[in-house]
Amino acid sequence: MTDQNVPPQLLHIVIGGELRHLNEPVFRDVSQVEFVGAFGSYEEAKKAWKARAQATVDNAHMRYFILHAHKLIDPRGEGV
């Protein structure tokens, strides 16, 4: 497969952990945040997010998030 036939990579990262309160996305202990994985498309990330969310459904404070990392990458390499 040549580079012309490769679909664009849109990096997404799935993380999760226990929240302090249900009404705000603040983790109880940042050192315990789980890195589920990095994925090349939103669809792949959503599958992983859904699997982890369903596996922890008994803990109301546990939440998982999909981060759109491709929006944070500076293609010019200038950083922030």
Side-chain angles (χ1 to χ4, degrees):
M1 185 180 277
T2 66
D3 285 345
Q4 295 174 348
N5 298 329
V6 175
Q9 181 186 81
L10 298 176
L11 183 62
H12 292 80
I13 297 172
V14 179
I15 63 167
E18 203 165 359
L19 301 181
R20 287 185 189 170
H21 308 285
L22 296 178
N23 60 347
E24 60 182 336
V26 177
F27 292 108
R28 183 168 286 167
D29 183 353
V30 175
S31 71
Q32 296 298 311
V33 169
E34 176 187 359
F35 174 74
V36 177
F39 304 90
S41 72
Y42 179 79
E43 291 76 25
E44 292 175 275
K46 187 174 179 183
K47 286 179 190 175
W49 165 83
K50 186 175 183 180
R52 288 305 299 143
Q54 288 178 339
T56 60
V57 71
D58 291 337
N59 183 344
H61 283 88
M62 190 65 89
R63 292 287 191 277
Y64 287 86
F65 301 92
I66 299 174
L67 307 177
H68 299 267
H70 61 94
K71 293 181 179 181
L72 304 174
I73 297 172
D74 182 357
R76 297 174 308 253
E78 295 174 7
V80 185

